[in-house]
Amino acid sequence: MILRHITIDSGDPYALATFWSEVTGWPVSSVDEPGDTEVLVESPSPVPGLLFIAVPEAKTLKNRVHIDWQPTDRTRDEEVARLLALGATIHEDHRQPNGRGWVTLLDPEHNEFCIERSPQELDG
């Protein structure tokens, strides 16, 4: 068995997929377009893709599941700054004075996700 997609409910699947495409650097599927009720952000194998599905109701509660991301070519704080510039917002800041910790962000539809320290920061 393989994990094929991580599916996220959305009010505007194409707009949210476009945000996540910018976050990850992965492309939105070439068959998807604005107004589609299902939009896929295609990931490199074997990583599961991100599938955004239209739902009529807005998000009202905390996510039951969220994704933790680890930057590979920049620090945690540089990645947080990049994502804020793309439209994410800080939900909870768990950074500590000693450099440890993570940041919980919200995407444009208020889904939580975390940015952890990079491998270089963990080794250093």
Side-chain angles (χ1 to χ4, degrees):
M1 184 176 340
I2 62 169
L3 179 57
R4 185 167 177 217
H5 300 132
I6 297 171
T7 302
I8 301 166
D9 291 348
S10 175
D12 184 343
Y14 193 85
L16 196 54
T18 299
F19 168 82
W20 280 102
S21 175
E22 292 177 22
V23 167
T24 61
W26 306 340
V28 172
S29 173
S30 62
V31 301
D32 294 330
E33 54 190 42
D36 284 353
T37 59
E38 297 180 5
V39 179
L40 176 64
V41 175
E42 298 175 331
S43 61
S45 182
V47 177
L50 301 175
L51 181 62
F52 298 89
I53 304 288
V55 296
E57 64 277 348
K59 180 180 178 289
T60 57
L61 301 172
K62 183 180 183 327
N63 294 11
R64 296 290 299 246
V65 174
H66 72 260
I67 301 170
D68 292 346
W69 296 93
Q70 183 181 47
T72 56
D73 57 350
R74 59 184 63 91
T75 68
R76 174 202 56 212
D77 294 347
E78 290 168 339
E79 183 67 3
V80 168
R82 184 181 80 85
L83 298 176
L84 293 174
L86 290 175
T89 56
I90 293 180
H91 178 61
E92 296 174 341
D93 195 331
H94 299 279
R95 291 178 278 196
Q96 300 173 11
N98 65 5
R100 297 179 75 182
W102 68 95
V103 180
T104 304
L105 299 173
L106 300 175
D107 73 13
E109 291 195 11
H110 300 112
N111 298 299
E112 298 95 2
F113 64 101
C114 292
I115 303 299
E116 298 179 354
R117 292 186 297 163
S118 68
Q120 297 82 1
E121 292 173 289
L122 293 172
D123 292 340

